[in-house]
């Protein structure tokens, strides 16, 4: 089993900010839009270096999505920045008609996704965004797991033509992936090989999955751990190949149990290779105020929940 | 560039096309495009600099038109095909299965001339602003036009866009409101009063002009004036007074023909109002 370590915790939104600046330096087509959350999205460096390519739209997310669609018709590559809730739920029809159906090359960049937004509470803790976005035809959905991967993904998506949703978060989390990684949309990453159970994790839950893998190994269970950083298109080949070997799967995500990664994996297996699946996700509830760690524990999104799910799913093989 | 007489005869043919398309499909919105046929003809045969034979999404060095009130599709498709974007024979596929002429305009089937889907109201002006910003970044001096409905002014996103357009001095943009006073459920001022629409747009910081959209001379004159007002730090809005169902006696003065096709008898009566000027498709 490969040991993953980290020297510091960093927030994925800062990975976005760094990646945006870097991508914009080499690609003059990139423009940025923000709806009054420039600091929260870490878009300040981009704004300062490229003031002519940055558009502050104020608290008007619907307008922002339309303007982004319009900018893309002129050959620009717009990156919109606001919280996940305001990137999806608030503007679902604008994203659907003006961006997804119209096949616009817009990168919808969403921070503060999920429970780990913390103290602001359920009004801002969007847990339905992956579901909404993956249901839209033409939409690609990317959920990187740490700072380095978010930075790499932010750079890579500029070369992908088409509507894309990039989801990241607020808290500082272990930064353990390779700083020089090549990010490939749609290509899942095998983090640890195993034979007893496959854990498919996305976003902040990838680190929890690695922690769960260590605990399981102490109990003699070899877990295969896969980072699904692209929910759509899903890496079907890797999903099927892994479960063919292990015979069962646990999914882990900071999202509602309805409509997220778990359902994508379950559908893939049901139609290709029926196998038991257990899902670690928020169980059809709204979140609440609290510290990120407290919330992840209370809503069952910790390493210990993944361990428990692994034992349960193995017993169903 | 067509002269006034030609433009009028094009508008007449557009009205014939609209009626034939909506009647043929037994579905669609005849009232709006009948009212806007003069504008469509003026834009595509006189005002816009555009390349109908070689459609490119970017529209570099061209003027761009966005239809926010997508239910006017029949009129737009007519003028697009009549000006050369695609064969007029394709108009007969309007709203049918496997057609590029969707009920509301779309890009997915690749119909030349369409740059964004519309139909769900309120979104087009934002998109037009984005396209106008793109032109500024590309140092392209051409203009962006966007037609909206008056009922559509009830959508909140319109006013988000209005605020941005003035606040960011998007002065290469001409918005046009089809001010016919009617929407699906009835008179606009009964369904949801717009109040003083002119004062509202002016208060948001736009340069506002008014015209009668069913008098070709006035349409051309006002569009020319609007172009002259561009580049002066303010976006321009034209309140275009039209008659929904213009030219068809029994379709005017009512909201009834907003989204209803004529039956065979009504169709014959309606068609009698318009001479076949360019040849039916």
């Amino acid at each position: 089993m490969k040991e993953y370590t980290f020297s510091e915790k960093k927030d994925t939104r800062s990975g976005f900010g760094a990646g945006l600046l870097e991508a914009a330096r080499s690609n003059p087509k990139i423009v940025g839009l923000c709806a009054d959350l420039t600091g929260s999205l870490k878009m300040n460096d981009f704004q300062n270096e490229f003031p002519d390519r940055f558009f502050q739209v104020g608290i008007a997310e619907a307008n922002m999505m339309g303007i982004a669609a319009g900018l893309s018709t002129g050959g620009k590559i717009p990156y919109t920045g606001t919280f996940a809730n305001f990137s999806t739920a608030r503007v679902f029809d604008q994203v659907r008609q003006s961006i997804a159906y119209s096949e616009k090359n817009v990168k919808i960049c969403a921070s503060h996704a999920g429970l780990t937004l913390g103290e602001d509470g359920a009004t801002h803790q969007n847990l339905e965004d992956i579901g909404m976005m993956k249901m839209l035809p033409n939409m690609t959905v990317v959920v990187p797991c740490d700072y380095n991967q978010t930075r790499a993904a932010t750079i890579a998506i500029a070369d992908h033509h088409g509507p894309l949703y990039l989801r990241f978060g607020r808290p500082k989390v272990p930064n353990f992936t390779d700083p020089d990684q090549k990010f490939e949309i749609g290509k899942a990453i095998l983090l640890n090989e195993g034979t007893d159970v496959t854990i498919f994790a996305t976003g902040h839950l990838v680190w929890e999955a690695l922690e769960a893998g260590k605990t399981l190994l102490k109990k003699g269970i070899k877990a295969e751990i896969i980072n699904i950083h692209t929910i759509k298109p899903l890496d079907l080949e890797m999903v099927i190949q892994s479960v063919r070997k292990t015979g069962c799967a646990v999914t882990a995500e900071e999202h509602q149990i309805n409509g997220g990664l778990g359902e994508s994996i379950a559908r893939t297996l049901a139609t290709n290779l029926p196998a038991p699946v257990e899902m670690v996700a928020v169980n059809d509830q709204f979140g609440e105020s609290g510290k990120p760690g407290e919330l992840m524990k209370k809503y069952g999104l910790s390493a210990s929940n993944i361990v428990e799910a692994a034992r349960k799913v193995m017993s169903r093989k | 560039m067509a002269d006034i007489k030609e433009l009028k005869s094009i508008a007449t043919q557009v009205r014939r096309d609209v009626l034939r398309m909506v009647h043929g499909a037994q579905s669609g919105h005849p009232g709006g495009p009948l009212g806007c046929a003069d504008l469509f003809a003026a834009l595509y045969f006189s005002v816009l600099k555009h390349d109908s034979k070689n459609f490119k999404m970017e529209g570099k060095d061209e003027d761009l038109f966005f239809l926010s009130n997508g239910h006017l599709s029949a009129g737009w498709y007519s003028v697009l095909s009549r000006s050369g974007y695609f064969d007029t024979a394709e108009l007969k596929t309007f709203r049918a299965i496997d057609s590029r002429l969707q009920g509301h305009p779309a890009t997915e089937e690749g119909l030349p001339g369409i740059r964004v889907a519309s139909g769900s109201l309120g979104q087009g002006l934002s998109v037009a602003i984005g396209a106008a910003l793109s032109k500024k970044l590309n140092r392209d001096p051409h203009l962006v036009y966007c037609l909206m409905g008056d009922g559509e002014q009830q959508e909140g996103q319109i006013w988000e866009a209005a605020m941005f357009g003035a606040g960011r001095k998007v002065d290469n943009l001409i918005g046009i409101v089809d001010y016919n006073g009617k929407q699906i459920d009835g008179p606009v001022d009964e369904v949801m009063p717009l109040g003083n629409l002119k004062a509202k747009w002016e208060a948001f910081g736009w340069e506002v002009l008014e015209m009668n959209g069913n008098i070709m001379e006035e349409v051309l004159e006002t569009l020319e004036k609007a172009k002259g007002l561009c580049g002066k730090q303010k976006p321009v809005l034209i309140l275009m007074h039209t008659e929904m169902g213009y030219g068809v006696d029994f379709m005017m003065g009512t909201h009834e023909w907003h989204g209803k096709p004529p039956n065979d008898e009504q169709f014959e009566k309606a068609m009698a109002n318009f001479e076949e000027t360019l040849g039916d498709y």
Side-chain angles (χ1 to χ4, degrees):
Chain A
M1 193 183 86
K2 193 174 167 196
E3 273 279 354
Y4 289 88
T5 57
F6 64 94
S7 56
E8 62 176 327
K9 289 188 171 184
K10 289 175 97 168
D11 48 347
T12 50
R13 57 182 167 147
S14 287
F16 165 68
L20 177 61
L21 182 64
E22 208 171 317
R25 281 176 179 160
S26 61
N27 190 339
K29 291 180 178 173
I30 291 176
V31 295
L33 300 93
C34 191
D36 194 33
L37 288 167
T38 313
S40 296
L41 268 284
K42 306 293 179 189
M43 294 174 86
N44 304 83
D45 290 343
F46 171 84
Q47 179 185 12
N48 293 334
E49 193 163 322
F50 302 104
D52 296 343
R53 287 156 60 186
F54 176 79
F55 300 98
Q56 169 63 268
V57 299
I59 309 165
E61 295 82 5
N63 190 38
M64 176 167 74
M65 293 304 168
I67 291 176
L71 278 160
S72 82
T73 64
K76 303 298 167 196
I77 307 174
Y79 281 59
T80 66
T82 182
F83 289 177
N85 190 57
F86 314 129
S87 298
T88 61
R90 187 173 185 90
V91 293
F92 190 68
D93 188 38
Q94 284 77 15
V95 171
R96 181 178 180 274
Q97 175 173 284
S98 293
I99 296 176
Y101 184 38
S102 298
E103 301 168 287
K104 293 298 173 221
N105 191 20
V106 174
K107 315 304 171 193
I108 301 165
C109 304
S111 183
H112 292 57
L115 291 172
T116 51
L117 167 146
E119 293 83 349
D120 279 348
T123 54
H124 288 52
Q125 290 162 340
N126 195 292
L127 292 161
E128 301 84 31
D129 57 331
I130 292 175
M132 281 185 275
M133 291 296 110
K134 81 173 188 183
M135 277 201 292
L136 289 173
N138 297 335
M139 186 65 74
T140 294
V141 179
V142 174
V143 187
C145 68
D146 69 357
Y147 174 95
N148 286 341
Q149 193 160 77
T150 306
R151 183 185 142 274
T154 304
I155 295 166
I157 61 176
D159 296 325
H160 166 89
H161 190 91
L164 186 144
Y165 182 65
L166 179 69
R167 182 203 216 220
F168 42 92
R170 174 175 184 255
K172 289 187 162 67
V173 293
N175 185 28
F176 65 96
T177 64
D178 181 0
D180 301 318
Q181 67 192 286
K182 264 276 185 228
F183 188 86
E184 229 181 304
I185 294 168
K187 193 98 194 86
I189 298 170
L190 178 60
L191 291 170
N192 259 320
E193 287 192 59
T195 48
D196 299 326
V197 56
T198 307
I199 302 172
F200 296 105
T202 194
H204 291 151
L205 268 289
V206 173
W207 179 258
E208 298 298 321
L210 288 169
E211 291 287 284
K214 285 193 229 167
T215 307
L216 288 166
L217 191 64
K218 283 180 197 150
K219 300 172 197 282
I221 297 166
K222 294 191 186 84
E224 179 142 304
I225 300 169
I226 295 175
N227 173 7
I228 305 284
H229 57 62
T230 306
I231 310 282
K232 185 187 166 192
L234 192 63
D235 188 343
L236 300 182
E237 203 185 312
M238 188 174 288
V239 171
I240 293 164
Q241 206 175 43
S242 176
V243 176
R244 183 163 285 137
K245 181 171 62 172
T246 62
C248 63
V250 169
T251 62
E253 62 195 307
E254 190 182 345
H255 188 270
Q256 297 288 359
I257 199 163
N258 293 314
L261 168 68
E263 283 195 349
S264 289
I265 297 282
R267 178 172 57 84
T268 301
L269 294 176
T271 50
N272 291 281
L273 179 74
V277 179
E278 287 293 329
M279 300 180 193
V280 172
V282 175
N283 193 16
D284 200 19
Q285 289 170 285
F286 287 107
E288 65 182 80
S289 293
K291 299 208 180 309
E294 294 168 345
L295 290 161
M296 295 297 267
K297 196 170 164 212
K298 177 164 178 178
Y299 287 83
L301 304 183
S302 305
S304 61
N305 303 103
I306 298 174
V307 170
E308 198 184 317
R311 297 179 72 173
K312 190 171 170 197
V313 82
M314 283 174 63
S315 74
R316 292 173 52 210
K317 273 208 257 190
Chain B
M1 208 192 288
D3 63 24
I4 293 252
K5 202 175 149 213
E6 285 168 319
L7 289 174
K8 286 181 180 172
S9 88
I10 292 163
T12 300
Q13 187 65 48
V14 168
R15 291 190 164 98
R16 280 185 76 89
D17 288 350
V18 166
L19 287 167
R20 297 184 76 231
M21 288 162 78
V22 175
H23 174 254
Q26 275 305 293
S27 136
H29 298 257
L34 287 170
C36 291
D38 305 293
L39 175 78
F40 284 135
L43 285 173
Y44 279 84
F45 285 88
S46 174
V47 177
L48 298 180
K49 179 184 181 289
H50 63 120
D51 183 358
S52 61
K53 298 291 180 201
N54 184 30
F55 173 70
K56 291 218 169 64
M57 181 56 75
E58 293 78 18
K60 197 170 175 296
D61 300 321
E62 292 183 66
D63 294 320
L64 306 182
F65 173 76
F66 290 92
L67 181 73
S68 189
N69 46 345
H71 57 276
L72 269 62
S73 54
W76 195 22
Y77 295 153
S78 163
V79 82
L80 282 173
S81 73
R82 295 282 169 191
S83 65
Y85 282 88
F86 54 88
D87 199 304
T88 52
E90 203 171 339
L91 294 176
K92 69 173 178 292
T93 69
F94 178 59
R95 285 187 168 237
I97 191 85
D98 294 330
S99 172
R100 299 196 293 179
L101 278 60
Q102 291 293 296
H104 294 84
T107 58
E108 204 167 66
E109 294 77 16
L111 188 69
I114 314 281
R115 291 191 164 84
V116 73
S118 61
S120 175
L121 295 170
Q123 301 184 29
L125 188 61
S126 301
V127 178
I129 286 174
L133 293 174
S134 206
K135 287 217 174 284
K136 281 177 179 275
L137 287 169
N138 292 336
R139 308 251 180 275
D140 176 348
H142 293 84
L143 301 177
V144 178
Y145 295 78
C146 177
L147 177 62
M148 299 166 267
D150 51 0
E152 189 180 12
Q153 306 295 297
Q154 292 156 0
E155 292 278 9
Q157 188 181 346
I158 293 284
W159 301 100
E160 293 185 4
M163 198 181 296
F164 185 102
R168 295 285 179 253
K169 302 181 170 60
V170 186
D171 58 5
N172 53 347
L173 172 67
I174 298 173
I176 302 165
V177 176
D178 178 21
Y179 208 175
N180 58 29
K182 294 171 189 69
Q183 58 189 108
I184 289 187
D185 270 0
V188 172
D189 280 334
E190 281 178 26
V191 176
M192 179 48 63
L194 297 177
N196 189 336
L197 195 56
K198 182 166 190 269
K200 282 179 179 162
W201 280 97
E202 282 173 345
F204 271 77
W206 290 53
E207 195 69 59
V208 181
L209 302 175
E210 290 195 74
M211 70 180 180
N212 184 327
N214 295 130
I215 300 174
M216 188 61 81
E217 291 82 353
E218 208 174 311
V219 171
L220 290 173
E221 221 171 87
T222 313
L223 285 171
E224 204 50 47
K225 194 172 170 196
K227 279 161 75 173
L229 288 168
C230 286
K232 296 181 178 167
Q233 308 281 301
K234 280 169 104 175
V236 181
L237 184 98
I238 301 173
L239 286 177
M240 180 177 76
H241 299 274
T242 65
E243 183 73 54
M244 184 178 274
Y246 187 81
V248 180
D249 42 9
F250 65 90
M251 288 187 176
M252 292 190 283
T254 170
H255 63 275
E256 205 188 320
W257 296 93
H258 187 293
K260 190 178 87 171
N263 64 26
D264 291 349
E265 193 188 328
Q266 291 161 334
F267 173 66
E268 291 307 327
K269 268 174 69 184
M271 288 296 279
N273 290 285
F274 307 112
E275 195 189 334
E276 186 179 344
T277 53
L278 305 184
D280 288 339
Y281 61 81

